[in-house]
Amino acid sequence: MKFGGTSVADVDRIRNVAAHVAREVKAGNEVAVVVSAMAGETNRLVALCREAAPLHDAREYDAVVSSGENVTSGLLAIVLQTMGIEARSWQGWQIPMRTNEAHGAARIADIDGSQIIERFGRGQVAVIAGFQGLSPLNRISTLGRGGSDTTAVALAAALKADRCDIYTDVDGVYTTDPRIVKSARRLPQISHEEMLEMASLGAKVLHVRSVELAMLYEVPLMVCSSFADPAVTPPGTLITGENIDMEAETVTSIAYSRDEAQVTLRDVPDAPGVAHRVFGPLADANINVDMIVQNISDDGSTTDITFTVPQSEFDRAMATLEEQRETIRFAKLLGDTDVVKVSVIGVGMRSHAGVAATAFKALGERSINIRAITTSEIKISVLIDSAYTELAVRTLHSVYGLDKVAH
Ligand code: ADP
Ligand code: ASP
Ligand code: MG
């Protein structure tokens, strides 16, 4: 069982979490619980690091930001104990949950589940601090924002759990973010593949790597709400390896990501090798490039190249290109961070034509200008002005017939 930030926001909410855990224990299950920090706490800790020094040591950042989960795991163990349930908290290093050395965005390398399994034998519930691990040099590492989901799935795989239930503040995975589209529908079941696409395209209900691990280790996931009555197992969305009803729906969801920034190079020589001169240095600087558009040149001599990078890498991308001004020989370097990527997702797209045309027409009719487009077999993404995010998501949600039907 994994509980996110809003589910453990204060001691009262932690009592409610304990009631969900108690239900599963009483049903005869062996339970490991992964908790996030209290809502807002990790943001507060990140801000403290920035205040201390805008550019800071990633190892010390991890030492600071991992602490929110230490608090909630201890508190949940205390509350469970007062209810007569034997419980013990575990920090990442105590398990240990080993990661690589990529502080701030570490990947889990290995989990030793033996101590927890041994304690299960004694009737103990394990409460694990999510988001954190132990680096090869025995320092605390963190898995990247939203990483507690990944702790939970990795642990479920290591313990060979029957289920991994992700409790959050919505009662499942919806056709789009229910916070911005009221008519979004809850999906009773979706495939790992589709969930992976949704998460990678911005649906933050699950951390991307948690879905990758669920797919790899065949862990069935259930997303449900901790705000449901703790006396009964809540309904939710089941995410499994099965591709269900692939023929039924062409488009199953709409996602958006604000974590995009646009970079444009004006008047770049239209000659062989230019893309390499632009993207080579970015790759060397470890900057992820996502959407790429190269215009057809008007005069056959120069062209424009537009692409996107994550917001957090925007400044570095601009600086890297500026350094290469002489080699690339562009006339102007332009950047814009007021952009959003909106995506239409569905495995059924593989076998249907005209899906993209529908999106372009609908956006055009609402006068939403498209700055860049990318597609794959199962998704179409467009980059637009961030001011139009909600309008675009709502428009696409209804044009593909995803709105809830009123009864
Ligand atoms: P937690 O703190 O429990 O990890 P998150 O805030 O990370 O919770 O994720 C839950 C949020 O994800 C919801 O409140 C919702 O606004 C958002 N979300 C975005 N896309 C979707 C979607 N397709 N279905 C459900 N929730 C979504
Ligand atoms: N507390 C961490 C964060 O806010 C991890 C998580 O909640 O999943 O990013
Ligand atoms: Mg989350």
Side-chain angles (χ1 to χ4, degrees):
M1 304 174 81
K2 180 262 173 177
F3 294 87
T6 34
S7 305
V8 295
D10 53 40
V11 173
D12 257 357
R13 299 288 316 144
I14 292 177
R15 288 208 174 90
N16 168 72
V17 164
H20 280 285
V21 174
R23 180 193 68 237
E24 295 297 336
V25 171
K26 287 194 185 112
N29 292 308
E30 293 174 328
V31 187
V33 192
V34 172
V35 287
S36 288
M38 291 181 180
E41 178 63 5
T42 311
N43 286 347
R44 189 182 73 86
L45 296 167
V46 170
L48 286 176
C49 291
R50 291 213 182 106
E51 190 186 334
L55 282 177
H56 42 254
D57 186 316
R59 282 165 291 189
E60 302 310 336
Y61 164 94
D62 279 351
V64 175
V65 303
S66 61
S67 65
E69 274 74 6
N70 297 346
V71 174
T72 46
S73 54
L75 288 173
L76 179 58
I78 293 176
V79 171
L80 285 168
Q81 288 170 4
T82 62
M83 295 167 72
I85 295 173
E86 268 207 56
R88 187 59 63 205
S89 72
W90 297 84
Q91 297 180 7
W93 64 271
Q94 290 171 307
I95 292 178
M97 167 128 6
R98 298 208 176 268
T99 72
N100 67 5
E101 67 296 333
H103 284 276
R107 283 180 166 264
I108 296 173
D110 177 61
I111 301 175
D112 181 355
S114 59
Q115 291 192 83
I116 291 179
I117 290 168
E118 192 262 321
R119 304 273 185 122
F120 280 163
R122 295 194 244 153
Q124 225 177 61
V125 168
V127 185
I128 292 103
F131 182 51
Q132 51 175 259
L134 188 63
S135 82
L137 293 174
N138 283 346
R139 301 217 61 95
I140 306 302
S141 53
T142 64
L143 309 181
R145 299 303 308 274
S148 291
D149 297 330
T150 299
T151 306
V153 177
L155 194 70
L159 298 175
K160 301 199 169 51
D162 298 325
R163 280 158 48 200
C164 180
D165 298 344
I166 308 278
Y167 287 78
T168 180
D169 55 4
V170 279
D171 61 358
V173 177
Y174 278 68
T175 46
T176 194
D177 188 345
R179 274 194 225 201
I180 73 163
V181 181
K182 293 286 167 262
S183 56
R185 270 186 292 128
R186 178 157 62 93
L187 299 161
Q189 192 175 343
I190 56 166
S191 65
H192 281 139
E193 186 187 16
E194 234 157 354
M195 189 64 234
L196 184 59
E197 202 70 18
M198 285 173 77
S200 349
L201 293 168
K204 67 164 194 156
V205 59
L206 287 177
H207 195 229
V208 180
R209 293 217 314 284
S210 72
V211 189
E212 278 171 3
L213 288 179
M215 203 162 174
L216 193 62
Y217 293 98
E218 297 178 3
V219 179
L221 297 181
M222 183 78 181
V223 175
C224 54
S225 174
S226 72
F227 291 77
D229 176 7
V232 287
T233 306
T237 299
L238 183 66
I239 307 165
T240 66
E242 286 164 63
N243 274 328
I244 24 104
D245 262 355
M246 276 189 31
E247 299 285 326
E249 319 245 18
T250 312
V251 170
T252 41
S253 66
I254 312 292
Y256 65 94
S257 165
R258 297 187 197 275
D259 184 24
E260 298 283 331
Q262 178 182 334
V263 177
T264 300
L265 291 163
R266 279 278 159 77
D267 292 337
V268 185
D270 192 11
V274 65
H276 180 244
R277 284 200 294 280
V278 172
F279 297 112
L282 294 171
D284 293 341
N286 250 319
I287 296 171
N288 264 322
V289 172
D290 180 16
M291 310 172 101
I292 302 178
V293 182
Q294 182 176 345
N295 292 347
I296 295 172
S297 64
D298 287 334
D299 54 3
S301 67
T302 65
T303 183
D304 296 343
I305 297 178
T306 291
F307 58 89
T308 62
V309 295
Q311 292 256 356
S312 56
E313 286 168 14
F314 177 68
D315 291 339
R316 268 191 330 119
M318 294 295 274
T320 306
L321 292 170
E322 198 53 63
E323 271 168 31
Q324 302 291 323
R325 186 181 270 272
E326 296 304 308
T327 349
I328 305 171
R329 291 196 289 126
F330 53 84
K332 254 194 210 157
L333 173 62
L334 306 169
D336 196 341
T337 52
D338 280 333
V339 292
V340 64
K341 181 172 72 175
V342 179
S343 306
V344 175
I345 303 154
V347 287
M349 255 184 233
R350 285 197 176 114
S351 49
H352 286 82
V355 182
T358 305
F360 303 153
K361 178 164 179 272
L363 295 174
E365 282 168 359
R366 305 272 180 312
S367 304
I368 300 173
N369 187 39
I370 300 174
R371 294 161 170 251
I373 301 168
T374 48
T375 63
S376 78
E377 267 194 308
I378 63 168
K379 68 116 202 263
I380 302 151
S381 301
V382 295
L383 190 72
I384 60 167
D385 286 0
S386 60
Y388 295 111
T389 311
E390 300 189 2
L391 179 61
V393 173
R394 284 199 191 111
T395 300
L396 295 173
H397 193 264
S398 85
V399 85
Y400 290 107
L402 297 176
D403 287 342
K404 190 158 49 187
V405 267
H407 290 291

